Amino acid sequence: MAYLNRLRFILIIVLATLGLVACSGPQPAQNTTTDTDGGHAVRQEVTWVNIKGFELPTADAGPKNPKDTPPSGYTHDAFGSMLAATHLSIALDLADQKTFGMVVNKATINDDGRKQWVAARVGIEIGPVQKDRIPTLKAWTATVSSDHNTSEVLLYWQQYDGSITEQRRDMVWQVDDWKIKLPHNPQQPVLRAVTEIPPEATQFNH
């Protein structure tokens, strides 16, 4: 029970950090970012869409099916894993009681981490987004395994007060798409405050 209570507490902190209240159409703008492929910079065209107040990046790399619940269809590379981590994370956090089951089943791999996360989420009502506290996605890194089937994604969000939060997502390529592997251990941080965006991160120009 203590384990579950801690996981539930961490989940509430995550929701609050993303500008959501937790209780017990697109507006595009083009931008560019760079990815690395064999040490060479690859230019990526990014379009920003507004999802319930969150400005999220989209590209040819995904999501190819933006109207799916949750959005699906990402390329099998580092850039695709970052886009998947961003869209699936927000979909999980915004899911209401009606869509929660569908979102968690499609966005995450089926393991003990999912079961523990679902148990922690039970009873938490997601309130309206606090629009004056919505963070802005500023940068990212993605470290892909040698077989290209897992990726550790770090997302850097600028909070309303100017501080920077790092969000970690472990991604797994499964059934021809990226899915989130939720942590099994509540001690493993999903979010942490950092003093600055690291120089190796790829920054968005917005």
Side-chain angles (χ1 to χ4, degrees):
M1 182 62 70
Y3 177 90
L4 183 58
N5 287 339
R6 176 171 177 78
L7 192 59
R8 183 175 288 113
F9 174 76
I10 291 172
L11 178 57
I12 291 173
I13 295 298
V14 170
L15 295 173
T17 303
L18 293 177
L20 299 171
V21 177
C23 308
S24 276
Q27 298 176 4
Q30 288 205 337
N31 187 210
T32 59
T33 184
T34 56
D35 190 8
T36 56
D37 183 8
H40 301 285
V42 179
R43 193 173 180 84
Q44 302 281 4
E45 294 292 335
V46 174
T47 297
W48 294 90
V49 296
N50 188 293
I51 307 295
K52 296 185 179 180
F54 289 85
E55 294 290 332
L56 303 184
T58 66
D60 289 342
K64 300 183 186 301
N65 307 302
K67 293 184 179 180
D68 282 359
T69 303
S72 65
Y74 303 91
T75 54
H76 193 184
D77 54 22
F79 191 51
S81 72
M82 178 278 295
L83 292 169
T86 303
H87 283 266
L88 297 181
S89 293
I90 296 301
L92 278 173
D93 294 334
L94 293 179
D96 57 23
Q97 297 301 320
K98 292 177 63 176
T99 62
F100 172 69
M102 180 186 299
V103 171
V104 74
N105 286 337
K106 292 186 176 181
T108 68
I109 67 169
N110 186 14
D111 63 0
D112 286 342
R114 179 204 278 183
K115 294 172 184 175
Q116 293 164 11
W117 191 87
V118 168
R121 175 71 184 265
V122 171
I124 298 177
E125 293 289 338
I126 304 302
V129 175
Q130 300 180 75
K131 294 185 178 180
D132 61 338
R133 298 200 170 200
I134 294 176
T136 302
L137 184 60
K138 303 298 289 185
W140 62 280
T141 68
T143 304
V144 181
S145 62
S146 58
D147 63 3
H148 302 286
N149 288 329
T150 63
S151 176
E152 179 185 285
V153 177
L154 300 177
L155 304 173
Y156 294 92
W157 300 87
Q158 184 175 45
Q159 302 298 324
Y160 70 98
D161 61 0
S163 62
I164 302 296
T165 300
E166 177 190 270
Q167 181 181 27
R168 172 179 171 168
R169 284 302 191 192
D170 292 321
M171 308 300 293
V172 176
W173 184 257
Q174 188 179 83
V175 196
D176 295 326
D177 214 349
W178 290 108
K179 296 181 184 296
I180 295 173
K181 179 179 176 63
L182 293 167
H184 291 206
N185 184 354
Q187 301 288 344
Q188 180 180 345
V190 176
L191 291 172
R192 70 184 185 106
V194 295
T195 56
E196 60 183 4
I197 296 171
E200 66 271 18
T202 299
Q203 298 207 30
F204 293 108
N205 299 317
H206 84 119

